[in-house]
Amino acid sequence: MKLRYYPLKEAAAHLIGYVGKVTKEELDKNPNLSEGNMIGKAGLEKAFDKELRGKDGGEILIVDERGNKKQEFQKAQKKDGEDIQLTIDYYIQLEAFKHLKGKAGSTVVMNPKEGGLYALVSSPSFDPNKMVQGISQQEYDQYVKDENKPFISRYAVGYAPGSTFKTITASIGLDAKVTYPDKPRNIKGLSWQKDGTWGGYSVTRVSDVQNVDMRKALIYSDNIYFAQEALEMGEKTFRNGLNQFIFGEELDLPIVMNPAQISKQNTFQSEILLADTAYGQEELMITPIQQATMYSVFQNEGTIVYPKLLDDKSERKTKSAITSSTANEMTKSLKAVVSDPNGTAHLLYNPTHQLAAKTGTAELKMKQGEKGNENSFLLAFDAEHDSFLLLSLVEHYTPGSSATQLNQSFIEELFLYFK
């Protein structure tokens, strides 16, 4: 019996999925299936099961003692399944997975001009070949009991995006003529609150830098600066800007995920919530795929390029979100986040490349002052030839395994690959 084999194994398990023998429940639901059929159980195998499976052929006839056909009663033509071509690049998918080193996380690599997804990786993973061949109960239980949940497709899970989102806040501020690249704010100390109505709550930052302008705020990743900018913009202007992006939209991808969310309610109902949203915290919920989509504005003169997974020559879908002058200003500032020795992404600096990047950390904690788990994010893109856009996430990261550190050599590989 021929079995499906998946050469990328764990590296593409969540995306491609796997096939398995049809169950009684599935037979009851679909009269076109018969016992012994193999059908798509997860991932794209499940999403495109009908197209991929094809149809068995056969005939019922009467033959004589020599085997010659005498009478035909019924004939069904065999129909092969369709070929489905993806935009996924085998090498990029494999390398993106390897560089996560088994940490809980995800990496999305996108063609920022056309929208084609080169890699959709989720880690840790599982071997889909075991699922096809018949996985033992012991091995299956091992996957299920793993606290890092290897069956979850993390590229389709919503997260607060952390400081990578400051790029969106800054863009909205620039277009609203509230934020300017060299507009300074005299911020003192590592914590700030608007006034006494905030009670015990304050916005904190990592570096005590005074006279912070937008460029410096991106280089040092200053939460207080962006909180103050959002408060000056006001909720209406800020939300109107956010609504130019893809919040609330269903993306045309064969992947199940909730639309990106600004907040649980239609209004923030508090200045604290507005301030915290500005630097990527609070109730923002954006999947890694959606984040990559939003950040495509910087390589496209302010236009969002929607992601695609099928290499079907269909026309790319776009949407204008910010002005081209703002997109170009942001790219310039994000290149400085890499090239400036104080930049949070300076680890990625290589004078032979034009890399733009923004790092992010989203802290998950129950109350102010306590130390919570942190998710680490990296947005990085080729600012010279626009050959790639990368968005990577590492859950609950520990020192030495931030998204920036894990992807440092991978980014070098991407530049070489697209040379």
Side-chain angles (χ1 to χ4, degrees):
M1 180 186 171
K2 284 184 180 176
L3 287 176
R4 191 89 103 221
Y5 177 73
Y6 301 102
L8 276 165
K9 298 182 180 173
E10 288 90 346
H14 300 89
L15 177 63
I16 304 300
Y18 54 88
V19 294
K21 268 191 187 157
V22 67
T23 63
K24 186 181 180 308
E25 290 80 8
E26 287 160 339
L27 283 169
D28 292 343
K29 277 185 199 166
N30 189 342
N32 296 321
L33 295 172
S34 52
E35 213 170 317
N37 278 167
M38 297 292 277
I39 66 165
K41 297 281 189 175
L44 297 181
E45 286 278 26
K46 185 176 181 182
F48 292 112
D49 178 67
K50 198 176 163 191
E51 292 84 349
L52 290 165
R53 199 160 19 92
K55 224 175 179 181
D56 290 334
E59 54 186 353
I60 300 171
L61 44 85
I62 295 174
V63 294
D64 62 21
E65 63 274 11
R66 290 196 185 94
N68 298 317
K69 185 162 75 171
K70 286 187 74 176
Q71 190 176 353
E72 185 181 281
F73 288 106
Q74 195 178 339
K75 186 172 185 177
Q77 286 289 352
K78 176 172 91 80
K79 189 185 170 202
D80 289 336
E82 293 174 31
D83 288 340
I84 292 176
Q85 186 78 34
L86 303 180
T87 59
I88 295 294
D89 181 290
Y90 187 100
Y91 171 78
I92 297 175
Q93 180 80 15
L94 196 58
E95 289 303 306
F97 180 73
K98 276 186 194 168
H99 281 81
L100 285 174
K101 294 185 177 169
K103 307 285 182 193
S106 171
T107 298
V108 176
V109 185
M110 181 176 169
N111 175 339
K113 290 297 184 187
E114 299 303 320
L117 292 162
Y118 289 134
L120 279 183
V121 160
S122 184
S123 172
S125 187
F126 59 93
D127 185 351
N129 295 307
K130 286 181 181 174
M131 310 302 273
V132 179
Q133 290 153 11
I135 190 167
S136 72
Q137 192 62 47
Q138 189 184 355
E139 284 178 308
Y140 186 77
D141 288 346
Q142 224 173 333
Y143 283 137
V144 170
K145 286 171 185 167
D146 187 334
E147 60 179 14
N148 284 322
K149 299 183 170 61
F151 288 134
I152 290 179
S153 302
R154 285 176 162 87
Y155 49 73
V157 173
Y159 297 86
S163 294
T164 54
F165 197 72
K166 290 169 183 169
T167 58
I168 305 295
T169 300
S171 299
I172 294 167
L174 285 166
D175 275 352
K177 304 282 190 281
V178 171
T179 305
Y180 294 92
D182 52 1
K183 166 188 165 186
R185 286 189 175 275
N186 188 15
I187 302 166
K188 290 175 181 168
L190 296 176
S191 71
W192 170 85
Q193 60 173 204
K194 188 187 170 192
D195 53 39
T197 62
W198 283 22
Y201 192 83
S202 59
V203 177
T204 60
R205 62 178 183 164
V206 175
S207 303
D208 189 0
V209 182
Q210 294 183 23
N211 296 317
V212 185
D213 60 19
M214 185 197 86
R215 288 193 191 101
K216 261 193 201 173
L218 287 165
I219 288 166
Y220 287 93
S221 203
D222 194 308
N223 292 345
I224 297 173
Y225 180 89
F226 289 103
Q228 291 182 358
E229 287 294 297
L231 290 170
E232 188 180 333
M233 271 185 252
E235 175 166 356
K236 191 180 173 192
T237 298
F238 186 48
R239 264 192 188 268
N240 283 347
L242 291 175
N243 288 332
Q244 304 310 305
F245 286 82
I246 59 165
F247 289 101
E249 290 184 28
E250 296 274 1
L251 297 181
D252 185 18
L253 291 172
I255 293 167
V256 178
M257 61 182 153
N258 292 325
Q261 167 191 292
I262 298 170
S263 57
K264 289 175 184 171
Q265 308 296 327
N266 289 334
T267 61
F268 290 125
Q269 297 174 335
S270 100
E271 285 187 322
I272 291 172
L273 192 50
L274 167 60
D276 284 353
T277 304
Y279 56 92
Q281 292 277 169
E282 284 297 346
E283 296 171 356
L284 280 167
M285 280 288 138
I286 317 174
T287 70
I289 294 174
Q290 291 158 349
Q291 287 185 52
T293 304
M294 291 190 200
Y295 300 142
S296 68
V297 290
F298 306 121
Q299 289 165 286
N300 290 290
E301 302 281 325
T303 296
I304 290 168
V305 174
Y306 284 80
K308 53 187 274 189
L309 197 48
L310 298 185
D311 191 9
D312 54 6
K313 311 300 174 210
S314 61
E315 208 175 313
R316 67 178 194 154
K317 186 185 170 192
T318 63
K319 175 187 182 181
S320 183
I322 59 175
T323 61
S324 60
S325 58
T326 285
N328 294 334
E329 180 54 58
M330 289 304 300
T331 299
K332 205 193 309 178
S333 294
L334 295 178
K335 279 158 70 176
V337 173
V338 178
S339 61
D340 190 297
N342 295 306
T344 56
H346 187 60
L347 177 71
L348 305 175
Y349 181 61
N350 180 335
T352 63
H353 308 316
Q354 291 285 322
L355 183 72
K358 181 74 193 78
T359 62
T361 305
E363 197 166 3
L364 315 167
K365 58 186 179 183
M366 298 309 290
K367 58 180 189 285
Q368 177 102 35
E370 74 175 22
K371 189 75 181 158
N373 281 318
E374 292 179 325
N375 292 339
S376 170
F377 292 88
L378 172 67
L379 158 67
F381 59 88
D382 171 5
E384 188 175 9
H385 303 295
D386 297 322
S387 60
F388 68 87
L389 180 157
L390 173 144
L391 190 284
S392 193
L393 140 84
V394 179
E395 283 183 16
H396 306 163
Y397 84 102
T398 49
S401 68
S402 71
T404 305
Q405 289 163 318
L406 290 180
N407 285 286
Q408 184 184 7
S409 60
F410 179 44
I411 287 167
E412 290 299 316
E413 286 174 26
L414 286 173
F415 274 114
L416 280 171
Y417 189 62
F418 285 110
K419 212 167 184 181

